[in-house]
Structures are given as structure tokens and as C-alpha cells.
């Protein structure tokens, strides 16, 4: 990177990180991000964080960034308005686990962390011990552990079937993709797959493991996926119809701190 460009990118460490855009009386926060490779101003919605991100070119100015965001205020309002309503992890809230709705039940007087149970009417519960302020974190940690365990089991099973090796599996809160595979054998998945029906999680594991053989989406790749997961068409259809909804779980109510 040229020294002049490096200086532009790293000057003024206290540079304003956020601006506010007014659209028909409604205020929206827009996070600013300066990028060395950017050639123009761009806007995107970070679904998992429910935030607006404006990427600026190295020589871009705050004035130009604000004008660009204000020009697209209607787009920002429309996109944010289409996001599913946030569903915090709180006592009494419903959250899907492997596609089955579970009601969070706070059990402050009991020992342990998080466990599943059935109520008197046959409803599924996700019980959580401890103090109320820890419900969100404990439920989130539990779901991530479950996701990691099931994704590791499925991925290793499919890898053994194809005779390939998985170097490492990571579970994150990815908003742009459900899974990824590197040429070095690293698999990465969204923990939110544990919220979907089990056949959907299995499909994503099969999809990424198949990339260990075919790093493309050729006909040969899809034959491998079909071999590993014969019901993958149904899983793909489920994700297309319901996948966006999974990103609302564990998010705070509007205006509440994360």
C-alpha cells in the first residue's frame, strides 16, 4: 500500500465512527467504515447486528458520506423496516431449538445452567438457572454449544463418508452466509443453524464438507451433496423461506443495549 494512502487510512484515530440520518422524521444510526479497496460509497445492512454500515473510499470525506447516506435515507428505512422483529432471549420468550418452539423458563432457585424440559401441557421448555440478567448470555452460550456439537458430529460423519479430513470447525454469528469452507480444510458455520430443523443443519454440514472435494458448485459438487444428504432440496427451500427469520433471535429490543 502506498505511504500516502496508508497515511489517509490511519490518520485521525478519533475520526467520527457514526452519523445519524433523518428520514421523514425517523432517525437512523449509520456506522462509518473506511476501506482501502473501496472506490465509491456503499451502504449495506448488517442483519445480525441490525445496523447500517456505510463504506467510504480512502479519500472520502465525512461531508460526502453524510450526503450519500441522506440521499439513500428511504432505502435505509425500507430495508430496516423489513427486518424481522427482534426476539430477545428472555423469560417467557419462544425460541426454536432444532426447529421446535421452546419457551424460555427462568428457574432462579435451581442449580445448573440451561436444560430442556416439558411442561404439564406437553410444551417444550428451555430452562435457565441463575439471576435474570444472565438469561440472555446463558441461553446464547447453550445454543452455541449445541450448534458446535451437532455441526461437528455431522461434518465428521460426512467427511468420513467422502474420505476427506476436516482440519477445524468454528461456529460464529455469520450474517452473510450459513457456512464456508477453506482450501485448507477449515469449516465455519453460523450457530443459528441449531434453531432450524435438524435436516437443515445436516444439509449445511454436507454442503461444506462436499467443498473439501469440489471447491465449486458444479454438477459433480451437487452430486456429492445429494449422496451425503438426499433431502437437500427440502432443506434449501426451508432456508430460502425461513432463514432470514433466524437472525432475529437473541437480539435486543429496539433501543436496548446489546
Amino acid at each position: 500500500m502506498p505511504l500516502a494512502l496508508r497515511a489517509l487510512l490511519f490518520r485521525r484515530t478519533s475520526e467520527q465512527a457514526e452519523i445519524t440520518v433523518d428520514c421523514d422524521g425517523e432517525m437512523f444510526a449509520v456506522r462509518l467504515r473506511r476501506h482501502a479497496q473501496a472506490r465509491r460509497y456503499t451502504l449495506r445492512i448488517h442483519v445480525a447486528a441490525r445496523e447500517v454500515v456505510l463504506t467510504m473510499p480512502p479519500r472520502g470525506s465525512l461531508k460526502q458520506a453524510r450526503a450519500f447516506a441522506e440521499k439513500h435515507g428511504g432505502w435505509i428505512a425500507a430495508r430496516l423496516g423489513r427486518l424481522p422483529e427482534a426476539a430477545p432471549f428472555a423469560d417467557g420468550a419462544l425460541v426454536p431449538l432444532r426447529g421446535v418452539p421452546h419457551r424460555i423458563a427462568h428457574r432462579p432457585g435451581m442449580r445448573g445452567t440451561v436444560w430442556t424440559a416439558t411442561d404439564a401441557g406437553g410444551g417444550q421448555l428451555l430452562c435457565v438457572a441463575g439471576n435474570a440478567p444472565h438469561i440472555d448470555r446463558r441461553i446464547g452460550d447453550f445454543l452455541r454449544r449445541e450448534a458446535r456439537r451437532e455441526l461437528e458430529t455431522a461434518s465428521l460423519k460426512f467427511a468420513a463418508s467422502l474420505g476427506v479430513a476436516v482440519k477445524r470447525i468454528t461456529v460464529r454469528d455469520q450474517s452473510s452466509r450459513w457456512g464456508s469452507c477453506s482450501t485448507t480444510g477449515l469449516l465455519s458455520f453460523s450457530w443459528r443453524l441449531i434453531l432450524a430443523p435438524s435436516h437443515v443443519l445436516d444439509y449445511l454440514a454436507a454442503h461444506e464438507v462436499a467443498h473439501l472435494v469440489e471447491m465449486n458448485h458444479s454438477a459433480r459438487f451437487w452430486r456429492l451433496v445429494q449422496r451425503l444428504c438426499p433431502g437437500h432440496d427440502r432443506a434449501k427451500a426451508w432456508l430460502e423461506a425461513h432463514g432470514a427469520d433466524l437472525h432475529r433471535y437473541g437480539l435486543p429490543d429496539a433501543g436496548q443495549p446489546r
Side-chain angles (χ1 to χ4, degrees), residues 18-205:
E18 185 178 283
I19 60 175
T20 302
V21 175
D22 183 347
C23 181
D24 296 331
E26 191 170 3
M27 307 302 290
F28 299 101
V30 178
R31 181 164 66 86
L32 302 178
R33 173 177 175 265
R34 197 179 292 275
H35 195 282
Q37 303 302 318
R39 296 182 178 276
R40 56 192 176 88
Y41 294 90
T42 58
L43 279 166
R44 67 182 178 89
I45 305 297
H46 191 290
V47 177
R50 301 175 79 84
E51 70 173 353
V52 186
V53 180
L54 193 161
T55 299
M56 305 168 59
R59 298 178 185 276
S61 69
L62 181 62
K63 181 179 179 181
Q64 291 173 327
R66 184 181 298 279
F68 182 82
E70 290 176 346
K71 177 182 178 182
H72 295 87
W75 180 88
I76 292 172
R79 289 295 301 274
L80 290 177
R82 289 201 298 267
L83 291 179
E85 183 179 352
F89 294 146
D91 185 33
L94 279 175
V95 57
L97 176 60
R98 302 179 184 88
V100 178
H102 285 62
R103 188 171 299 279
I104 297 175
H106 187 205
R107 299 288 188 258
M110 300 185 68
R111 298 175 64 87
T113 53
V114 179
W115 66 97
T116 57
T118 305
D119 64 20
Q124 299 299 306
L125 300 176
L126 200 53
C127 302
V128 54
N131 297 326
H134 303 311
I135 291 176
D136 176 80
R137 176 180 57 80
R138 287 193 166 191
I139 293 292
D141 289 347
F142 169 80
L143 293 173
R144 285 169 171 79
R145 287 194 301 271
E146 290 294 293
R148 174 181 291 279
R149 181 171 61 84
E150 297 213 0
L151 284 162
E152 285 182 346
T153 298
S155 298
L156 293 177
K157 177 186 70 174
F158 292 138
S161 177
L162 295 182
V164 295
V166 175
K167 185 173 182 181
R168 189 169 74 246
I169 297 171
T170 60
V171 175
R172 302 171 180 169
D173 193 6
Q174 304 175 149
S175 62
S176 60
R177 59 180 65 185
W178 295 108
S180 62
C181 172
S182 76
T183 55
T184 57
L186 305 180
L187 304 184
S188 182
F189 298 96
S190 167
W191 69 263
R192 295 178 182 276
L193 290 170
I194 197 63
L195 305 176
S198 295
H199 72 278
V200 175
L201 181 147
D202 283 345
Y203 157 64
L204 261 300

Side-chain angles (χ1 to χ4, degrees), residues 229-243:
C229 185
H232 73 276
D233 285 339
R234 184 165 63 99
K236 286 175 62 179
W238 191 97
L239 272 178
E240 290 174 0
H242 308 289

Side-chain angles (χ1 to χ4, degrees), residues 211-227:
H211 277 313
L212 294 173
V213 178
E214 293 287 333
M215 288 296 290
N216 52 59
H217 289 101
S218 63
R220 174 174 164 77
F221 166 81
W222 287 112
R223 286 195 295 270
L224 286 174
V225 175
Q226 174 66 18
R227 171 182 159 190

